[in-house]
Amino acid sequence: MKLKNTLYILLLLSFCSYSQNGIKEKKEQIKSLKISFFNTELDLSATESENFWPIYNAYDDKQFEIRHQKVKTYRYQMQENNLNKMSEKEASILLSQIESTDEELYKLKKKLTADLKSVLPKVKIIKLKKAEEDFNRKLLKQYKEKNTKN
């Protein structure tokens, strides 16, 4: 889970350097790669794919929206110079906001699992969890390789 959170934070921070169109383009590129990867890993039938992708895309879009909104807010507050000046009261508020976001994401993930139970066998739902981790690991590796070349 930490790897996944780190990946999303890195991706969102890198997206901040792009314009809104740049964010949409990168998100679409990642979405295309994810679709290809998941279809291969999950070996979805035509019917499963038809039912799976609308549910997963809605989840993925909502997750991105939550992370993008919240991380943008936290990023400024979590800069080193701001952390050193932060009072205990401000830290408590920020920590509550972070916990609230984590809880919101957890509930969203639970809803995804519940929704998928009606369209996929449970084994494929577990394979999805593994595929998400593998995809994120692969994406992070490519991101690191790209940045070490520059």
Side-chain angles (χ1 to χ4, degrees):
M1 191 69 164
K2 287 182 183 179
L3 177 63
K4 188 184 298 184
N5 289 339
T6 302
L7 173 66
Y8 283 116
I9 290 170
L10 285 173
L11 286 173
L12 288 174
L13 291 176
S14 69
F15 287 157
C16 289
S17 65
Y18 291 96
S19 67
Q20 276 300 104
N21 289 338
I23 291 173
K24 288 178 183 173
E25 289 172 19
K26 285 291 182 188
K27 187 174 182 245
E28 289 304 314
Q29 283 179 324
I30 291 169
K31 194 175 223 175
S32 295
L33 292 170
K34 188 182 280 191
I35 289 170
S36 175
F37 188 81
F38 285 8
N39 280 335
T40 301
E41 295 296 308
L42 300 177
D43 192 28
L44 298 172
S45 70
T47 304
E48 288 172 337
S49 184
E50 185 179 303
N51 293 317
F52 169 78
W53 284 110
I55 293 169
Y56 189 84
N57 287 336
Y59 156 79
D60 199 41
D61 291 345
K62 181 66 176 171
Q63 178 181 248
F64 179 83
E65 179 185 311
I66 292 167
R67 288 182 187 278
H68 186 68
Q69 289 173 345
K70 308 294 178 160
V71 169
K72 199 175 192 178
T73 305
Y74 304 154
R75 191 171 58 120
Y76 173 75
Q77 293 176 301
M78 293 177 69
Q79 290 176 347
E80 191 66 36
N81 58 338
N82 291 334
L83 287 175
N84 292 333
K85 297 175 187 175
M86 188 177 285
S87 70
E88 280 299 306
K89 184 177 180 181
E90 292 168 327
S92 180
I93 291 169
L94 180 59
L95 191 55
S96 291
Q97 291 171 342
I98 292 169
E99 289 170 343
S100 175
T101 300
D102 288 346
E103 187 174 335
E104 191 174 353
L105 290 168
Y106 173 73
K107 287 178 180 177
L108 185 64
K109 188 72 172 176
K110 277 187 78 166
K111 182 182 180 328
L112 171 69
T113 301
D115 291 348
L116 289 178
K117 284 180 181 177
S118 65
V119 298
L120 289 179
K122 290 177 180 70
V123 170
K124 288 192 178 184
I125 296 171
I126 294 169
K127 284 182 179 182
L128 171 64
K129 292 182 182 297
K130 182 180 180 326
E132 285 178 318
E133 290 174 11
D134 291 348
F135 179 78
N136 291 336
R137 198 173 294 116
K138 182 179 176 181
L139 198 60
L140 184 58
K141 182 180 176 186
Q142 289 175 352
Y143 178 82
K144 284 180 180 179
E145 287 172 358
K146 179 182 173 191
N147 283 338
T148 50
K149 288 179 183 176
N150 293 335

